[in-house]
Amino acid sequence: MMCRMARQDTGARHLGARARTASLSAVKDIHDMLNQRAHPLAGTTMSGAEMLVQVLEDEGVDTLFGYSGGAILPIYDAVFRYNQTHENAMPLIVPANEQGAGFMAAGFARASGKVGVAVVTSGPGATNMVTPVRDCMADSVPIVVICGQVPTTAIGTDAFQEAPVPSIMGAVAKHVFLITDPSRLEATVRTAFEIARTGRPGPVVLDIPKDVQNWQGVFRGAGRLPIPGYRQRMNRLEASKLPEAACASFFAALGAAERPLLYAGGGVVNGSASQAVRDFATAFQIPVVTTLMGIGTVDTRGPLAMRMLGMHGAAFANYAVDDCDFLMSAGARFDDRVAGNPVRFAAKARFIAHLDIDGSEINKVKRVDWSHVGLMVDALQVLLEYGKRIGFRRDFTAWLRHCDDLKTTYAMNYDRSSDLIQPYYVIEEINRLTQGEAIIATGVGQHQMWAAQYFDFCSPRLWLTSGSMGTMGFGLPAAVGAQFAERKRLVIDIDGDASIRMNIGELETVTTYDLPVKVVVLNNCGDGMVKQWQKLFHKGRLSASDKSLHTKDFVKAAQADGFKYAVRLERKADVPRVVEEFIRFPGPAFLEVMIDQDAGVYPMVGPGQAYEDMITGEHIPSRSKVDVKMPGPSEMF
Ligand SMILES: Cc1ncc(C[n+]2csc(CCOP(=O)(O)OP(=O)(O)O)c2C)c(N)n1
Ligand SMILES: [Mg+2]
């Protein structure tokens, strides 16, 4: 009986009854504020833990990810009791490891645009969350992490399971609150959500001592912390309108350009500005390259889509960057995987514009000629309207034709005649069935880059990858979180044999909750991306990256974790049939594909190199006639 109750409380197989949505709750919040209506529970005496759960409901939270422990027990108990009386409206999903909970919350947030929430205990529970918190910070993903802490009187005594969460997380989170005054708990939780989702989104950590959770007080039902500096900045951002003069200089430069290119990054996805970018690009016929984080900004199959640029970008995308004379960055930050050599990046661009929500990104890496800091959607709409109003018209047909030629001439390609299973072929086959509609999560390594290059994405928030941190182990828990956010979408984790090992405990989480997640392991018996660099820069010495003597049987592991469909694919001829039965399998499914161990990621722009020095491999043509020498290890980034 205990077991069944606990299982119901964690939401296993009972996820249909989610009563609320974030948007509804947000609307209610605004409505209540406008009407100055009191919260129905205002004035009620409750524990700190109960207040926290109530604020979670008010903020529209409908799924929690977390692992229990002594210092978080009051909150877990409050969640349990809440779910008993609210038709399990806030299921608490239990991973194998807190890192899993963090990436589930991140996957949930990336797929839905809502704030993901993870709840963990003190000490080891909290420190296991450090990597996801840094990962979310680096990719600007909004999550709130609630950590139990030892009682306030024990803080600083090296108490059992004590860790200095504010100092550890302070270095990696957008903000951390250690709540020592229980009367501020309620306002602090609300403020945490506000900080996570506003401006450039990011992770906020709440460190809540156990006595604060157990404290009894009166619930106010309203109120946030005074954070005047932050709010002033946010108000300024929201009010920041593109001046007419800026619109005029932008269009003057565009009018003088012949080869304009839009370079869209994660800021477009995070700022829900994908449609605005599409409208803008279509109105003025400007082709679009995206960063790894910006994938899905435009439909990858669309006529203006030039796909991903950068170190492993498409050759045609990188050549378009080399050829453009006008570059407009939208929510992208010229990072080292894109502009490894900032001086030689887009060297022919006579005008570079940069739209961003974060002023510190302007001129950080690359000096630009024009910039605006504000909300992406607003800025693009103002520009679009201005352009229409002045009747801006410029014929970029020759440039568009040139971009089409680049796409045809330098198309992605690989050894199609090989007897070995090529990873690109597997992805093409999955893509044929999913048609850009599936959510794809990945680990980190070659498989991640192949997925970025060969999958189609018809919209944003379908591509979930650890971009800036590049955290192996991200894919499987992110896929779990995404499936909770998007119950009806097909969710596929494209993983590497090494990456999946990092959080392989989460295979069991997939079957525990009967999630129809599809897990693909592209097994090249090792750390393929590391091997690729060792071959290029260390004369092929495969120090600690070859795993061909490892004995793991992934299929048996998946079966042991309850996967009814767990298959190893070893023959090229079987790929189409097996991929189809795998994708169409109605429940959790696991597919290990034994791929060509020497398959490489091409194109590749070496670290610190310019795009014109890009190596395209044997199957994609190159514009450089000489075989470019890669830098030696000492020159490596
Ligand atoms: C947590 C973590 N540790 C180490 C690395 C460095 N690293 C980047 S890719 C890679 C190899 C990944 O191997 P696998 O998951 O099998 O992917 P493949 O490259 O073989 O497709 C390693 C070790 C990392 N990115 N993350
Ligand atoms: Mg591998």
Side-chain angles (χ1 to χ4, degrees):
M1 186 60 189
M2 265 309 288
C3 184
R4 245 182 72 209
M5 278 181 67
R7 200 174 163 85
Q8 283 191 5
D9 189 51
T10 60
R13 299 173 207 271
H14 291 276
L15 294 157
R18 289 186 296 158
R20 267 155 290 269
T21 68
S23 51
L24 275 183
S25 180
V27 168
K28 178 173 159 289
D29 199 25
I30 294 162
H31 191 256
D32 286 359
M33 270 169 42
L34 288 175
N35 290 311
Q36 301 281 302
R37 217 171 352 108
H39 191 292
L41 293 173
T44 314
T45 299
M46 43 173 105
S47 71
E50 289 164 343
M51 285 184 191
L52 175 124
V53 173
Q54 188 53 52
V55 178
L56 294 183
E57 180 196 313
D58 297 345
E59 293 293 328
V61 175
D62 56 19
T63 313
L64 304 174
F65 302 94
Y67 211 104
S68 68
I72 198 76
L73 280 178
I75 288 176
Y76 270 55
D77 194 53
V79 171
F80 189 100
R81 284 181 281 116
Y82 176 88
N83 279 330
Q84 274 186 319
T85 51
H86 293 78
E87 295 177 9
N88 204 24
M90 206 184 291
L92 204 165
I93 311 305
V94 181
N97 181 306
E98 287 86 355
Q99 182 177 119
F103 285 135
M104 287 173 197
F108 182 94
R110 287 173 191 249
S112 66
K114 297 193 261 178
V115 179
V117 182
V119 195
V120 297
T121 194
S122 64
T127 54
N128 275 349
M129 284 296 303
V130 172
T131 302
V133 167
R134 171 61 194 146
D135 195 278
C136 285
M137 187 67 191
D139 280 348
S140 306
V141 175
I143 62 167
V144 168
V145 175
I146 298 156
C147 303
Q149 180 55 284
V150 300
T152 39
T153 49
I155 289 178
T157 68
D158 280 339
F160 177 64
Q161 294 195 326
E162 183 184 359
V165 169
S167 12
I168 297 172
M169 294 295 199
V172 290
K174 183 173 177 184
H175 201 73
V176 184
F177 290 104
L178 166 62
I179 306 173
T180 51
D181 176 357
S183 68
R184 292 160 70 94
L185 169 75
E186 184 192 331
T188 309
V189 180
R190 271 189 210 104
T191 309
F193 278 86
E194 178 189 350
I195 294 176
R197 62 163 78 96
T198 49
R200 185 171 181 170
V204 178
V205 178
L206 292 168
D207 198 24
I208 314 184
K210 194 166 180 179
D211 53 320
V212 173
Q213 299 171 42
N214 281 327
W215 165 83
Q216 294 279 325
V218 177
F219 184 69
R220 294 195 194 98
R224 290 164 205 263
L225 292 182
I227 43 167
Y230 182 81
R231 281 202 190 104
Q232 246 169 38
R233 263 193 291 142
M234 293 306 109
N235 290 341
R236 235 183 293 135
L237 263 183
E238 280 174 29
S240 165
K241 284 267 167 291
L242 244 180
E244 288 271 306
C247 295
S249 61
F250 179 92
F251 279 98
L254 188 59
E258 284 170 6
R259 301 182 301 279
L261 189 64
L262 231 152
Y263 149 51
V268 173
V269 179
N270 293 336
S272 303
S274 164
Q275 192 54 50
V277 168
R278 291 174 188 217
D279 293 345
F280 184 83
T282 309
F284 304 115
Q285 289 295 289
I286 304 175
V288 185
V289 291
T290 74
T291 66
L292 181 75
M293 292 300 295
I295 289 178
T297 293
V298 292
D299 188 327
T300 49
R301 301 158 302 182
L304 294 170
M306 294 296 288
R307 300 204 61 127
M308 182 175 76
L309 83 171
M311 178 176 272
H312 292 300
F316 54 82
N318 288 345
Y319 288 147
V321 173
D322 267 352
D323 294 347
C324 75
D325 65 354
F326 175 109
L327 186 75
M328 175 181 184
S329 161
R333 59 191 174 87
F334 303 86
D335 91 310
D336 58 274
R337 261 32 185 176
V338 163
N341 186 329
V343 176
R344 292 175 67 194
F345 177 74
K348 295 197 195 94
R350 281 176 295 168
F351 187 89
I352 301 185
H354 188 172
L355 283 179
D356 213 293
I357 199 162
D358 184 350
S360 67
E361 294 296 351
I362 310 292
N363 293 324
K364 187 178 88 177
V365 174
K366 182 101 179 157
R367 187 154 289 282
V368 297
D369 305 286
W370 182 100
S371 62
H372 174 72
V373 176
L375 300 182
M376 187 70 59
V377 175
D378 290 1
L380 287 167
Q381 280 174 354
V382 169
L383 275 178
L384 177 60
E385 277 158 26
Y386 182 94
K388 281 186 178 160
R389 184 148 44 84
I390 63 167
F392 180 84
R393 210 160 268 149
R394 183 97 173 87
D395 183 7
F396 297 125
T397 319
W399 165 238
L400 291 173
R401 208 175 306 120
H402 176 74
C403 287
D404 275 345
D405 288 349
L406 289 177
K407 278 205 263 187
T408 317
T409 312
Y410 304 101
M412 295 300 299
N413 204 6
Y414 58 91
D415 182 2
R416 294 180 187 270
S417 62
S418 166
D419 291 337
L420 302 171
I421 301 180
Q422 297 301 313
Y424 336 89
Y425 176 46
V426 178
I427 294 174
E428 278 181 345
E429 281 301 299
I430 300 174
N431 195 45
R432 208 165 45 80
L433 301 170
T434 54
Q435 293 285 317
E437 300 276 352
I439 290 178
I440 308 290
T442 72
V444 169
Q446 292 182 309
H447 63 279
Q448 175 192 27
M449 293 299 119
W450 294 324
Q453 294 170 333
Y454 284 88
F455 268 114
D456 282 311
F457 296 91
C458 64
S459 50
R461 301 200 177 283
L462 296 178
W463 168 244
L464 316 182
T465 204
S466 169
S468 181
M469 269 276 277
T471 311
M472 290 168 71
F474 173 91
L476 182 55
V480 169
Q483 190 75 83
F484 277 105
E486 292 288 332
R487 301 291 301 173
K488 300 226 159 71
R489 280 252 181 211
L490 176 61
V491 179
I492 307 174
D493 170 34
I494 301 287
D495 232 317
D497 52 302
S499 287
I500 200 166
R501 276 185 172 95
M502 295 249 169
N503 277 318
I504 200 155
E506 308 308 346
L507 278 181
E508 192 191 358
T509 316
V510 174
T511 55
T512 301
Y513 294 96
D514 200 22
L515 299 171
V517 169
K518 307 285 173 277
V519 181
V520 181
V521 173
L522 295 176
N523 191 348
N524 51 8
C525 297
D527 295 5
M529 184 59 98
V530 172
K531 283 160 109 178
Q532 179 163 338
W533 281 55
Q534 288 168 329
K535 287 177 195 167
L536 283 165
F537 309 123
H538 297 272
K539 301 200 161 68
R541 292 183 294 269
L542 303 184
S543 178
S545 56
D546 182 274
K547 293 199 164 74
S548 46
L549 297 179
H550 284 223
T551 52
K552 181 151 208 89
D553 185 327
F554 282 107
V555 170
K556 277 193 185 149
Q559 284 166 341
D561 280 333
F563 277 76
K564 300 260 163 27
Y565 186 101
V567 166
R568 179 174 299 121
L569 177 51
E570 292 174 283
R571 288 188 343 178
K572 186 179 175 185
D574 296 337
V575 170
R577 178 183 56 79
V578 173
V579 161
E580 177 146 12
E581 69 181 27
F582 162 73
I583 291 294
R584 302 224 187 278
F585 190 79
F590 183 91
L591 181 66
E592 178 189 19
V593 189
M594 305 310 294
I595 60 165
D596 177 359
Q597 294 183 17
D598 288 320
V601 182
Y602 291 107
M604 179 169 183
V605 180
Q609 299 280 82
Y611 287 2
E612 58 184 346
D613 302 332
M614 170 170 53
I615 295 175
T616 55
E618 286 171 50
H619 305 280
I620 303 169
S622 166
R623 288 210 299 210
S624 50
K625 292 182 190 62
V626 279
D627 194 16
V628 181
K629 188 185 157 288
M630 298 300 278
S634 60
E635 298 159 62
M636 266 173 46
F637 180 64

